[in-house]
């Protein structure tokens, strides 16, 4: 497992990138996709996920859509146009940051 502090610093980007790749997703689906992609090494809690989703929505990067499934209502999240353009910028910034940290710490990132 990785530090929750490291996860907190990257959670917005992870969510934005997943939504860019997948289209629209609901909260539990996001947590399961992260778990799958990380081979179980990264587990998103509701306490971390939903405040981040709400923050991204408040910033105009996400839209929500409620879909009725029988007696339940599922809330889907998808990127706005601003969110779409933000993803590329955030991924580029993070890639640059990884390179910078690798130089500062004098390590080679595992691929």
């Amino acid at each position: 497992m990785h530090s929750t502090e490291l996860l907190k610093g990257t959670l917005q980007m992870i969510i934005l990138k997943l939504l860019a790749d997948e289209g629209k997703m609901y909260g539990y689906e996001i947590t399961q996709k992260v778990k799958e992609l990380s081979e179980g090494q990264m587990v998103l809690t509701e306490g971390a996920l939903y405040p981040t989703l709400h923050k991204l929505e408040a910033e105009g990067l996400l839209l929500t859509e409620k879909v009725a499934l029988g007696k339940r209502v599922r809330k889907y999240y998808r990127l706005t146009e601003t969110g779409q353009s933000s993803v590329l910028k955030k991924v580029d910034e993070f890639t640059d940051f990884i390179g910078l940290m690798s130089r500062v710490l004098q390590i080679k990132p595992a691929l």
Side-chain angles (χ1 to χ4, degrees):
M1 295 299 237
H2 295 284
S3 158
T4 55
E5 288 303 311
L6 289 175
L7 178 59
K8 191 187 296 184
T10 57
L11 188 53
Q12 285 189 16
M13 185 187 52
I14 290 168
I15 291 169
L16 291 171
K17 180 68 167 86
L18 275 178
L19 291 172
D21 292 347
E22 302 289 328
K24 68 179 184 178
M25 299 176 83
Y26 57 96
Y28 180 75
E29 186 178 18
I30 293 170
T31 64
Q32 293 308 296
K33 189 67 174 182
V34 168
K35 188 174 179 182
E36 172 193 325
L37 291 171
S38 70
E39 298 176 345
Q41 293 187 42
M42 190 179 291
V43 178
L44 294 185
T45 64
E46 288 183 13
L49 177 66
Y50 288 102
T52 304
L53 286 169
H54 297 149
K55 184 176 190 301
L56 291 169
E57 185 179 8
E59 291 174 359
L61 302 178
L62 299 183
L63 290 174
T64 60
E65 172 189 353
K66 292 182 180 177
V67 176
L69 300 168
K71 294 182 180 183
R72 288 188 322 185
V73 174
R74 186 172 281 165
K75 191 174 187 179
Y76 283 90
Y77 298 88
R78 67 180 173 85
L79 297 177
T80 62
E81 275 188 44
T82 304
Q84 295 269 358
S85 60
S86 176
V87 172
L88 298 175
K89 182 179 174 216
K90 286 186 181 292
V91 170
D92 285 345
E93 286 174 358
F94 188 69
T95 302
D96 290 345
F97 182 71
I98 291 171
L100 173 64
M101 290 303 292
S102 296
R103 289 191 304 277
V104 169
L105 299 175
Q106 301 179 11
I107 57 173
K108 293 187 182 210
L111 298 176

